[in-house]
Amino acid sequence: MDMKIEHAPGENGGGDWMRIGESLHREFNARARALSQMVQGRKVYEIMEAFWPGARDDDSLPDFLREYGEIWTSVPKVLVSRTRVDAGHDTRVVGRDGDAVAALAELRARADGDIGIGGATVATQLLQAGLLDELMLFVHPVVLGAGRPLFDGHDCPVELDLLEHRAFEQGVTLHRYAVRGARQLA
């Protein structure tokens, strides 16, 4: 609840302190299915790439996890990376030239539908550029006290308007906000 996304270095937003139950995962699935595209930073993409393609056909997993595996592998994705040159699962790579924000601004201008952003570094860069019109935050009931903040390196106030608030099992809450002053597309 202190807006930290990892307590220990390398957790990459996925420590054992997270409380993701079935109803919360089904919510992830519904929202991911509605996206026209996903944009993910390299670390998030590689975490997803290592698990979700195999999960889609793994009968030992619950149906909602297999379902997300199907969603993740089939939704068009953009990987933001300076080091990777290719990726599978309907993914194109941007950012090798160092100007990922410009490429993502162009993507946003041409997009037909909502784009989901995964990865704190990418989200922070897009927030600083005024390219995020909404923030959807899932807050887990824990104070990590130390570690990486969600918007690491963002030092300007951002005003938000609450659009939605929901509670899930184990005390996890969803907060969806409109970002005041986000760039509007013509």
Side-chain angles (χ1 to χ4, degrees):
M1 296 185 4
D2 55 3
M3 297 301 288
K4 304 285 187 186
I5 58 168
E6 62 182 27
H7 178 70
E11 283 181 335
N12 296 314
D16 61 3
W17 49 268
M18 293 184 74
R19 301 178 184 182
I20 302 175
E22 181 176 347
S23 71
L24 180 57
H25 215 293
R26 289 191 187 280
E27 183 69 22
F28 291 159
N29 293 1
R31 291 183 188 258
R33 182 177 286 106
L35 296 173
S36 66
Q37 300 178 68
M38 294 179 188
V39 172
Q40 296 176 332
R42 184 189 53 78
K43 289 179 184 177
V44 168
Y45 183 88
E46 289 177 351
I47 290 166
M48 305 297 264
E49 176 184 47
F51 182 76
W52 292 113
R56 66 187 281 180
D57 298 317
D58 186 342
D59 290 335
S60 70
L61 295 174
D63 69 322
F64 59 92
L65 293 180
R66 292 191 312 269
E67 178 185 16
Y68 190 80
E70 175 63 34
I71 294 165
W72 188 85
T73 55
S74 62
V75 169
K77 287 170 288 304
V78 175
L79 165 59
V80 179
S81 176
R82 288 185 302 270
T83 57
R84 292 210 29 184
V85 294
D86 63 355
H89 312 291
D90 199 9
T91 305
R92 79 180 171 126
V93 181
V94 301
R96 287 201 43 90
D97 63 0
D99 198 2
V101 172
L104 295 174
E106 181 181 326
L107 173 78
R108 180 178 179 244
R110 292 187 323 225
D112 185 24
D114 291 337
I115 301 172
I117 307 297
T121 301
V122 173
T124 299
Q125 291 171 344
L126 294 175
L127 186 63
Q128 289 171 330
L131 293 171
L132 293 183
D133 32 31
E134 285 188 16
L135 297 179
M136 186 177 312
L137 308 174
F138 291 90
V139 179
H140 297 259
V142 61
V143 175
L144 295 177
R148 182 178 182 188
L150 174 57
F151 295 108
D152 192 11
H154 186 76
D155 57 2
C156 298
V158 176
E159 292 189 53
L160 308 172
D161 294 310
L162 185 64
L163 298 173
E164 180 181 3
H165 177 265
R166 291 189 50 199
F168 294 89
E169 72 266 35
Q170 302 181 61
V172 176
T173 55
L174 155 71
H175 306 267
R176 186 170 66 96
Y177 297 98
V179 177
R180 288 187 184 178
R183 276 197 233 167
Q184 298 302 311
L185 300 175

